[in-house]
Amino acid sequence: MVPKKILEQAESLKRFLEDNRCSDVEILDVNPECSWADCFVIATVSSTGHLKGVVHELWGELETLGLKVNNRHKSPAGDGWTLVDCGPIVIHLMSSELREFYSLEKLWAKKVEG
């Protein structure tokens, strides 16, 4: 089960992503199956430009939430998938094609209902 503080941060990230026109935003509980994170926040972006814009705005939101970024790519990947590792929370911003192909929700299987 995701610790309360981390779940609150993930829910704030979900609202932020929805406010930035990401679709199908979900929080997945990957604890205890995953030894390096408690949850994933997964969102679909509409284009590479949308992905870049969301990532640009995301850094400020992460700072506001007090989340430390373990990896920070200076520019989002051009392949339609950017992963931001914040330790207990891992954010996946994906194109609809990549999200369907990799199907992280099926792989990890425990969606958090909020």
Side-chain angles (χ1 to χ4, degrees), residues 1 10 14 16 24 36 42 64-65 68 84-86 90 95:
M1 182 170 187
K14 179 179 179 179
F16 168 83
D24 302 320
W36 42 270
I42 305 172
T64 299
L65 292 172
K68 179 184 172 199
V84 181
D85 177 1
C86 300
V90 177
S95 68

Side-chain angles (χ1 to χ4, degrees), residues 35-61:
S35 63
W36 42 270
D38 289 314
C39 67
F40 291 169
V41 177
I42 305 172
T44 301
V45 295
S46 58
S47 66
T48 303
H50 183 215
L51 174 62
K52 289 179 181 180
V54 171
V55 169
H56 179 74
E57 296 297 321
L58 182 61
W59 303 127
E61 183 67 13

